[in-house]
Amino acid sequence: PNQPNTATQPGQFGNPNQPNTATQPGQFGNPNQPNTAATANQPTETTSNQPAIDTSVPVPIVAELTNFVNALSEVCSPAEKRQISMIMQCLDVLNKKLAYNEVSADVVTKIEQLVGFLLQRNYPAANAIQTDLANTVWTQHKEWIKGIKVIIQLASKK
């Protein structure tokens, strides 16, 4: 952990001029942030020891998901629209985790593929990726994976 990150380790990347604080393959290291594996059960609220990152502006992949959900909400029934607020909370969690590099590169790749399938209306393929995420990284990311599942369920009805 005290060796410089050369960005050549599988599943990791970062600034080679900063120490690598990632503790497991597939995790990103950020020297200004506590080890996310040790703090997984704690709230993800910004604390004084975290750098000030503006999470009010969505990460591009979250912006695409948000646009998709906004378009979806226009054709939803009142009962379905109640689920939209839960989905938006899940997307907010995803945005914060992405902004603080708490999502591994392979998971980001899967999210990008999933969004691509949603935009193509290929809901079975999107669902397959969501199921894979639920089976592999549920413990770390259940807060937003459940929202993705609801997006796919609502979209496949329309």
Side-chain angles (χ1 to χ4, degrees), residues 40-90:
N41 294 329
Q42 297 177 0
T44 56
E45 297 295 321
T46 302
T47 59
S48 60
N49 64 345
Q50 290 180 327
I53 294 177
D54 182 8
T55 59
S56 65
V57 177
V59 175
I61 197 72
V62 177
E64 285 186 58
L65 273 170
T66 301
N67 290 340
F68 183 84
V69 170
N70 287 337
L72 183 61
S73 70
E74 292 178 14
V75 295
C76 284
S77 70
E80 293 168 333
K81 285 186 179 185
R82 287 191 283 277
Q83 293 179 303
I84 297 294
S85 65
M86 183 278 294
I87 291 169
M88 296 308 259
Q89 290 172 351
C90 293

Side-chain angles (χ1 to χ4, degrees), residues 44-143:
T44 56
E45 297 295 321
T46 302
T47 59
S48 60
N49 64 345
Q50 290 180 327
I53 294 177
D54 182 8
T55 59
S56 65
V57 177
V59 175
I61 197 72
V62 177
E64 285 186 58
L65 273 170
T66 301
N67 290 340
F68 183 84
V69 170
N70 287 337
L72 183 61
S73 70
E74 292 178 14
V75 295
C76 284
S77 70
E80 293 168 333
K81 285 186 179 185
R82 287 191 283 277
Q83 293 179 303
I84 297 294
S85 65
M86 183 278 294
I87 291 169
M88 296 308 259
Q89 290 172 351
C90 293
L91 293 182
D92 186 48
V93 169
L94 174 59
N95 188 59
K96 287 178 182 174
K97 285 191 174 233
L98 288 168
Y100 284 105
N101 291 326
E102 295 176 356
V103 181
S104 68
D106 62 322
V107 172
V108 170
T109 299
K110 289 178 183 180
I111 297 168
E112 290 170 344
Q113 292 170 341
L114 187 147
V115 171
F117 287 134
L118 283 175
L119 295 176
Q120 296 168 12
R121 298 179 184 259
N122 186 346
Y123 304 125
N127 192 55
I129 292 174
Q130 185 277 330
T131 300
D132 178 55
L133 290 170
N135 289 334
T136 57
V137 294
W138 178 260
T139 305
Q140 305 95 320
H141 299 297
K142 63 182 168 239
E143 300 91 358

